[in-house]
Amino acid sequence: MFNRRTLLGAISALAMLTASGSAFAQDKYDIAMICKGFQHQFWQAVKAGAEKAGAEFGATITFEGPETESQVDRQMDMLAAALSRGPDAIGFAALDSQAAIPLLQQASAAGIPIIAFDSGVDSDIPLSTATTDNVAAAALAADKMAELIGNSGKIAVVAHDQTSRTGIDRVEGFTNRIKEAHPNVEVVTVQYGAGDQLASTEITKSILLANPDLKGIFGANEGSAIGVANGKQELNSNVVVIGFDSGAAQKAMVASGLMNGSITQNPVGIGYETVKAAVAALKGETVPKIVDTGFYYYDAANMNDPEIAAVLYD
Protein backbone atom coordinates (compact mmCIF):
# COMPACT_ATOMS: atom_id res chain seq x y z
CA MET A 1 0.00 0.00 0.00
CA PHE A 2 1.34 3.46 -0.99
CA ASN A 3 2.09 5.90 1.79
CA ARG A 4 2.45 9.62 1.08
CA ARG A 5 6.23 9.44 0.66
CA THR A 6 6.02 6.49 -1.74
CA LEU A 7 3.33 8.23 -3.81
CA LEU A 8 5.33 11.44 -4.08
CA GLY A 9 8.38 9.46 -5.09
CA ALA A 10 6.44 7.64 -7.79
CA ILE A 11 5.05 10.91 -9.14
CA SER A 12 8.53 12.42 -9.17
CA ALA A 13 9.96 9.41 -10.97
CA LEU A 14 7.14 9.50 -13.52
CA ALA A 15 7.74 13.21 -14.13
CA MET A 16 11.44 12.57 -14.67
CA LEU A 17 10.68 9.71 -17.05
CA THR A 18 8.23 11.86 -19.01
CA ALA A 19 10.71 14.71 -19.23
CA SER A 20 13.43 12.32 -20.29
CA GLY A 21 11.22 10.75 -22.95
CA SER A 22 10.23 14.19 -24.24
CA ALA A 23 13.85 15.29 -24.41
CA PHE A 24 14.72 12.11 -26.26
CA ALA A 25 11.93 12.69 -28.76
CA GLN A 26 13.25 16.17 -29.47
CA ASP A 27 16.91 15.20 -29.45
CA LYS A 28 17.59 16.42 -32.99
CA TYR A 29 20.05 19.11 -33.91
CA ASP A 30 18.64 22.15 -35.68
CA ILE A 31 20.99 23.08 -38.52
CA ALA A 32 20.26 26.12 -40.70
CA MET A 33 21.90 26.05 -44.12
CA ILE A 34 22.04 29.13 -46.32
CA CYS A 35 23.24 28.68 -49.89
CA LYS A 36 23.96 31.12 -52.69
CA GLY A 37 20.76 30.71 -54.67
CA PHE A 38 18.17 28.32 -56.02
CA GLN A 39 18.35 28.92 -59.78
CA HIS A 40 20.92 26.15 -60.34
CA GLN A 41 20.48 22.41 -59.95
CA PHE A 42 23.79 22.39 -58.09
CA TRP A 43 22.12 23.74 -54.94
CA GLN A 44 19.33 21.19 -55.09
CA ALA A 45 21.99 18.48 -55.11
CA VAL A 46 23.73 20.10 -52.11
CA LYS A 47 20.37 20.15 -50.31
CA ALA A 48 19.84 16.46 -51.04
CA GLY A 49 23.24 15.64 -49.54
CA ALA A 50 22.53 17.74 -46.46
CA GLU A 51 19.18 16.04 -45.89
CA LYS A 52 20.78 12.63 -46.33
CA ALA A 53 23.30 13.46 -43.58
CA GLY A 54 20.56 14.96 -41.42
CA ALA A 55 18.64 11.70 -41.52
CA GLU A 56 21.80 9.75 -40.72
CA PHE A 57 23.14 11.93 -37.91
CA GLY A 58 19.92 13.08 -36.26
CA ALA A 59 19.59 16.65 -37.51
CA THR A 60 16.71 18.70 -38.86
CA ILE A 61 17.86 20.74 -41.85
CA THR A 62 16.47 24.02 -43.10
CA PHE A 63 17.90 24.98 -46.47
CA GLU A 64 17.35 28.32 -48.16
CA GLY A 65 19.02 30.87 -50.39
CA PRO A 66 18.22 34.01 -52.40
CA GLU A 67 16.53 33.84 -55.77
CA THR A 68 19.74 34.68 -57.63
CA GLU A 69 23.43 34.66 -56.84
CA SER A 70 23.68 38.43 -57.20
CA GLN A 71 21.49 39.10 -54.12
CA VAL A 72 24.13 39.53 -51.42
CA ASP A 73 21.85 41.74 -49.28
CA ARG A 74 19.07 39.16 -49.43
CA GLN A 75 21.49 36.45 -48.31
CA MET A 76 22.57 38.64 -45.39
CA ASP A 77 18.90 39.03 -44.39
CA MET A 78 18.51 35.25 -44.42
CA LEU A 79 21.61 34.79 -42.29
CA ALA A 80 20.35 37.39 -39.80
CA ALA A 81 16.95 35.67 -39.64
CA ALA A 82 18.58 32.31 -39.03
CA LEU A 83 20.65 33.80 -36.22
CA SER A 84 17.56 35.32 -34.61
CA ARG A 85 15.94 31.91 -34.13
CA GLY A 86 19.09 30.44 -32.61
CA PRO A 87 19.78 27.17 -34.45
CA ASP A 88 22.28 24.69 -33.04
CA ALA A 89 24.63 25.23 -36.01
CA ILE A 90 24.75 27.13 -39.29
CA GLY A 91 26.05 26.05 -42.69
CA PHE A 92 26.86 29.02 -44.90
CA ALA A 93 27.91 29.42 -48.55
CA ALA A 94 28.97 33.05 -48.88
CA LEU A 95 28.10 35.15 -51.91
CA ASP A 96 30.52 37.75 -50.56
CA SER A 97 33.50 36.38 -48.67
CA GLN A 98 33.72 39.49 -46.44
CA ALA A 99 30.20 40.91 -46.11
CA ALA A 100 28.98 38.13 -43.82
CA ILE A 101 31.81 38.37 -41.30
CA PRO A 102 30.02 40.66 -38.76
CA LEU A 103 27.01 38.31 -38.63
CA LEU A 104 29.25 35.27 -38.37
CA GLN A 105 31.05 36.94 -35.48
CA GLN A 106 27.68 37.29 -33.75
CA ALA A 107 27.01 33.60 -34.28
CA SER A 108 30.41 32.68 -32.91
CA ALA A 109 29.86 34.87 -29.84
CA ALA A 110 26.55 33.09 -29.26
CA GLY A 111 28.29 29.72 -29.38
CA ILE A 112 26.73 28.66 -32.68
CA PRO A 113 29.21 26.61 -34.76
CA ILE A 114 29.62 27.80 -38.34
CA ILE A 115 30.48 25.39 -41.14
CA ALA A 116 31.20 27.00 -44.51
CA PHE A 117 30.31 25.11 -47.65
CA ASP A 118 31.11 25.54 -51.33
CA SER A 119 32.47 29.04 -50.82
CA GLY A 120 34.39 30.04 -47.71
CA VAL A 121 34.78 33.41 -46.02
CA ASP A 122 37.87 35.52 -45.38
CA SER A 123 37.88 34.64 -41.70
CA ASP A 124 38.83 31.81 -39.37
CA ILE A 125 35.33 31.82 -37.81
CA PRO A 126 34.08 28.74 -39.73
CA LEU A 127 35.25 25.63 -37.94
CA SER A 128 35.40 23.78 -41.24
CA THR A 129 34.75 24.37 -44.94
CA ALA A 130 33.35 21.62 -47.16
CA THR A 131 34.38 22.55 -50.66
CA THR A 132 35.96 21.72 -53.96
CA ASP A 133 39.59 22.71 -54.40
CA ASN A 134 38.48 25.37 -56.86
CA VAL A 135 41.99 26.52 -57.77
CA ALA A 136 43.03 23.00 -58.74
CA ALA A 137 39.73 22.32 -60.52
CA ALA A 138 40.02 25.49 -62.60
CA ALA A 139 43.65 24.67 -63.39
CA LEU A 140 42.47 21.33 -64.79
CA ALA A 141 39.92 23.22 -66.91
CA ALA A 142 42.77 25.41 -68.20
CA ASP A 143 44.84 22.37 -69.16
CA LYS A 144 41.89 20.82 -71.01
CA MET A 145 41.18 24.10 -72.79
CA ALA A 146 44.80 24.47 -73.90
CA GLU A 147 44.85 20.89 -75.16
CA LEU A 148 41.66 21.34 -77.19
CA ILE A 149 42.83 24.54 -78.89
CA GLY A 150 46.25 23.15 -79.77
CA ASN A 151 48.11 25.04 -77.00
CA SER A 152 47.94 28.30 -78.92
CA GLY A 153 45.48 31.14 -79.39
CA LYS A 154 43.14 33.55 -77.65
CA ILE A 155 40.59 32.54 -75.05
CA ALA A 156 38.20 34.26 -72.61
CA VAL A 157 36.53 33.63 -69.26
CA VAL A 158 32.91 34.23 -68.26
CA ALA A 159 32.57 33.92 -64.49
CA HIS A 160 29.86 34.43 -61.90
CA ASP A 161 31.32 37.03 -59.53
CA GLN A 162 34.37 38.73 -58.08
CA THR A 163 33.27 38.50 -54.43
CA SER A 164 32.77 34.82 -53.55
CA ARG A 165 35.71 32.52 -52.94
CA THR A 166 34.55 30.25 -55.75
CA GLY A 167 34.43 33.15 -58.22
CA ILE A 168 37.85 34.41 -57.17
CA ASP A 169 39.54 31.00 -56.97
CA ARG A 170 38.22 29.67 -60.26
CA VAL A 171 39.23 32.73 -62.24
CA GLU A 172 42.65 32.87 -60.63
CA GLY A 173 43.14 29.11 -60.85
CA PHE A 174 42.33 29.15 -64.56
CA THR A 175 44.20 32.29 -65.62
CA ASN A 176 47.29 31.55 -63.50
CA ARG A 177 47.54 28.04 -64.92
CA ILE A 178 47.35 29.41 -68.46
CA LYS A 179 50.13 31.90 -67.71
CA GLU A 180 52.34 29.33 -65.99
CA ALA A 181 51.90 26.29 -68.22
CA HIS A 182 50.59 27.51 -71.58
CA PRO A 183 52.58 30.60 -72.67
CA ASN A 184 51.17 30.58 -76.21
CA VAL A 185 47.60 30.86 -74.95
CA GLU A 186 46.30 34.34 -74.15
CA VAL A 187 43.32 35.18 -71.94
CA VAL A 188 42.01 38.30 -73.66
CA THR A 189 39.17 39.12 -71.25
CA VAL A 190 37.46 38.01 -68.05
CA GLN A 191 33.85 39.12 -67.69
CA TYR A 192 31.15 38.51 -65.09
CA GLY A 193 27.48 37.61 -65.51
CA ALA A 194 26.41 36.88 -61.90
CA GLY A 195 25.86 33.24 -62.83
CA ASP A 196 22.80 34.26 -64.82
CA GLN A 197 22.30 32.29 -68.03
CA LEU A 198 20.77 35.12 -70.04
CA ALA A 199 23.35 37.69 -68.94
CA SER A 200 26.17 35.23 -69.64
CA THR A 201 24.74 34.51 -73.10
CA GLU A 202 24.80 38.21 -74.01
CA ILE A 203 28.30 38.63 -72.58
CA THR A 204 29.49 35.66 -74.63
CA LYS A 205 28.04 37.03 -77.85
CA SER A 206 29.73 40.39 -77.22
CA ILE A 207 33.07 38.68 -76.60
CA LEU A 208 32.78 36.57 -79.76
CA LEU A 209 31.81 39.53 -81.93
CA ALA A 210 34.71 41.60 -80.55
CA ASN A 211 37.21 38.74 -80.97
CA PRO A 212 36.49 36.84 -84.19
CA ASP A 213 39.73 34.86 -83.79
CA LEU A 214 38.84 33.62 -80.31
CA LYS A 215 39.41 29.88 -79.85
CA GLY A 216 37.86 29.11 -76.47
CA ILE A 217 35.76 30.30 -73.53
CA PHE A 218 35.70 28.97 -69.97
CA GLY A 219 32.36 29.28 -68.12
CA ALA A 220 33.17 29.23 -64.41
CA ASN A 221 29.89 27.95 -62.95
CA GLU A 222 26.64 26.32 -64.06
CA GLY A 223 24.83 29.46 -65.20
CA SER A 224 27.94 30.96 -66.78
CA ALA A 225 28.74 27.78 -68.69
CA ILE A 226 25.21 27.34 -70.02
CA GLY A 227 25.20 30.99 -71.09
CA VAL A 228 28.51 30.58 -72.90
CA ALA A 229 27.23 27.51 -74.76
CA ASN A 230 24.01 29.29 -75.68
CA GLY A 231 25.97 32.29 -76.98
CA LYS A 232 28.14 29.97 -79.06
CA GLN A 233 25.06 28.33 -80.53
CA GLU A 234 23.27 31.59 -81.28
CA LEU A 235 26.23 32.90 -83.26
CA ASN A 236 26.92 29.51 -84.85
CA SER A 237 30.48 29.68 -83.54
CA ASN A 238 32.91 26.75 -83.34
CA VAL A 239 34.66 28.13 -80.24
CA VAL A 240 35.74 25.54 -77.65
CA VAL A 241 33.66 25.70 -74.45
CA ILE A 242 34.79 24.29 -71.11
CA GLY A 243 32.24 24.54 -68.32
CA PHE A 244 32.01 24.04 -64.59
CA ASP A 245 29.35 22.03 -62.70
CA SER A 246 26.72 19.67 -64.03
CA GLY A 247 22.91 19.66 -64.17
CA ALA A 248 20.59 18.32 -66.86
CA ALA A 249 21.11 21.19 -69.31
CA GLN A 250 24.88 21.13 -69.08
CA LYS A 251 25.05 17.34 -69.33
CA ALA A 252 22.99 17.48 -72.52
CA MET A 253 25.30 20.14 -73.96
CA VAL A 254 28.37 18.03 -73.20
CA ALA A 255 26.76 14.90 -74.63
CA SER A 256 25.90 16.75 -77.86
CA GLY A 257 29.33 18.37 -78.18
CA LEU A 258 28.00 21.93 -77.91
CA MET A 259 30.09 22.11 -74.74
CA ASN A 260 33.39 20.29 -75.14
CA GLY A 261 33.70 19.31 -71.49
CA SER A 262 33.17 20.47 -67.94
CA ILE A 263 34.42 20.13 -64.40
CA THR A 264 31.96 18.49 -62.04
CA GLN A 265 32.03 18.95 -58.32
CA ASN A 266 30.43 16.60 -55.80
CA PRO A 267 27.51 18.71 -54.54
CA VAL A 268 25.78 15.86 -52.73
CA GLY A 269 29.06 15.27 -50.92
CA ILE A 270 29.38 18.98 -50.10
CA GLY A 271 25.96 19.02 -48.43
CA TYR A 272 26.59 15.75 -46.63
CA GLU A 273 30.00 16.75 -45.29
CA THR A 274 28.68 20.14 -44.11
CA VAL A 275 26.05 18.53 -41.90
CA LYS A 276 28.44 15.80 -40.76
CA ALA A 277 30.97 18.43 -39.65
CA ALA A 278 28.27 20.50 -37.91
CA VAL A 279 27.06 17.52 -35.89
CA ALA A 280 30.63 16.56 -34.99
CA ALA A 281 31.32 20.12 -33.80
CA LEU A 282 28.13 20.10 -31.70
CA LYS A 283 29.34 16.90 -30.04
CA GLY A 284 32.63 18.56 -29.17
CA GLU A 285 34.64 16.60 -31.70
CA THR A 286 37.53 18.07 -33.68
CA VAL A 287 36.66 18.78 -37.30
CA PRO A 288 39.10 19.27 -40.19
CA LYS A 289 39.57 22.86 -41.30
CA ILE A 290 39.01 21.88 -44.94
CA VAL A 291 37.00 18.95 -46.27
CA ASP A 292 37.99 18.47 -49.91
CA THR A 293 34.98 16.95 -51.64
CA GLY A 294 36.73 16.33 -54.96
CA PHE A 295 36.19 17.12 -58.65
CA TYR A 296 36.36 15.45 -62.06
CA TYR A 297 36.60 16.47 -65.71
CA TYR A 298 33.91 14.96 -67.89
CA ASP A 299 33.14 14.99 -71.59
CA ALA A 300 31.03 12.98 -74.02
CA ALA A 301 33.57 10.14 -73.94
CA ASN A 302 33.66 9.52 -70.17
CA MET A 303 30.46 10.96 -68.69
CA ASN A 304 28.83 7.54 -68.47
CA ASP A 305 31.77 5.96 -66.64
CA PRO A 306 30.56 4.82 -63.20
CA GLU A 307 33.00 7.01 -61.25
CA ILE A 308 31.96 10.13 -63.22
CA ALA A 309 28.26 9.35 -63.46
CA ALA A 310 28.11 9.01 -59.67
CA VAL A 311 28.87 12.73 -59.17
CA LEU A 312 26.87 14.15 -62.09
CA TYR A 313 23.46 15.46 -61.15
CA ASP A 314 20.28 16.59 -62.87
Side-chain angles (χ1 to χ4, degrees):
M1 186 174 182
F2 283 102
N3 58 30
R4 178 180 174 82
R5 180 176 295 177
T6 302
L7 181 59
L8 289 173
I11 292 171
S12 176
L14 180 61
M16 290 178 65
L17 182 61
T18 302
S20 174
S22 175
F24 178 80
Q26 297 175 9
D27 190 19
K28 273 201 167 189
Y29 295 114
D30 173 12
I31 299 176
M33 293 186 65
I34 300 167
C35 73
K36 290 180 177 180
F38 270 107
Q39 79 272 44
H40 300 148
Q41 290 303 310
F42 177 86
W43 297 112
Q44 300 304 317
V46 173
K47 180 175 183 282
E51 290 175 343
K52 178 182 178 183
E56 183 174 335
F57 298 114
T60 299
I61 310 300
T62 59
F63 195 99
E64 60 182 340
E67 289 75 15
T68 73
E69 294 188 15
S70 62
Q71 295 176 313
V72 176
D73 289 345
R74 176 65 178 140
Q75 190 187 51
M76 294 303 99
D77 290 343
M78 289 179 168
L79 179 57
L83 274 174
S84 69
R85 69 176 177 81
D88 294 310
I90 293 176
F92 185 65
L95 281 170
D96 187 313
S97 59
Q98 296 185 359
I101 291 175
L103 286 172
L104 297 181
Q105 288 173 334
Q106 291 180 32
S108 181
I112 300 173
I114 302 294
I115 307 297
F117 66 98
D118 180 65
S119 190
V121 296
D122 294 338
S123 167
D124 59 1
I125 293 172
L127 300 178
S128 183
T129 300
T131 187
T132 304
D133 184 339
N134 285 290
V135 172
L140 175 59
D143 288 339
K144 293 295 183 180
M145 174 68 78
E147 176 186 337
L148 289 171
I149 66 169
N151 278 295
S152 176
K154 297 178 180 179
I155 61 173
V157 176
V158 177
H160 40 303
D161 63 61
Q162 303 178 69
T163 57
S164 71
R165 282 265 44 110
T166 60
I168 296 165
D169 289 348
R170 288 177 199 170
V171 170
E172 290 184 352
F174 184 89
T175 57
N176 288 343
R177 179 64 176 174
I178 291 293
K179 290 175 185 176
E180 293 164 2
H182 308 287
N184 294 322
V185 178
E186 178 189 1
V187 178
V188 295
T189 186
V190 177
Q191 297 192 32
Y192 298 88
D196 181 81
Q197 294 180 26
L198 295 178
S200 298
T201 298
E202 295 307 311
I203 288 169
T204 297
K205 290 193 293 185
S206 295
I207 292 172
L208 289 172
L209 291 170
N211 300 275
D213 56 345
L214 199 75
K215 287 189 173 182
I217 303 179
F218 171 51
N221 80 334
E222 183 179 338
S224 304
I226 292 171
V228 169
N230 285 337
K232 168 185 175 177
Q233 187 173 48
E234 289 184 22
L235 292 185
N236 196 29
S237 170
N238 62 359
V239 68
V240 170
V241 175
I242 301 294
F244 208 106
D245 291 324
S246 181
Q250 207 169 170
K251 285 168 62 178
M253 289 173 168
V254 171
S256 71
L258 178 62
M259 191 178 297
N260 299 76
S262 184
I263 302 293
T264 183
Q265 304 182 79
N266 179 7
V268 172
I270 289 173
Y272 183 92
E273 293 294 339
T274 300
V275 172
K276 180 181 177 181
V279 171
L282 288 166
K283 290 180 176 179
E285 300 171 8
T286 301
V287 293
K289 198 65 179 173
I290 298 291
V291 179
D292 186 347
T293 51
F295 61 88
Y296 299 87
Y297 176 80
Y298 69 101
D299 57 20
N302 75 351
M303 63 188 299
N304 292 319
D305 292 354
E307 184 179 37
I308 302 296
V311 292
L312 299 180
Y313 54 92
D314 291 328

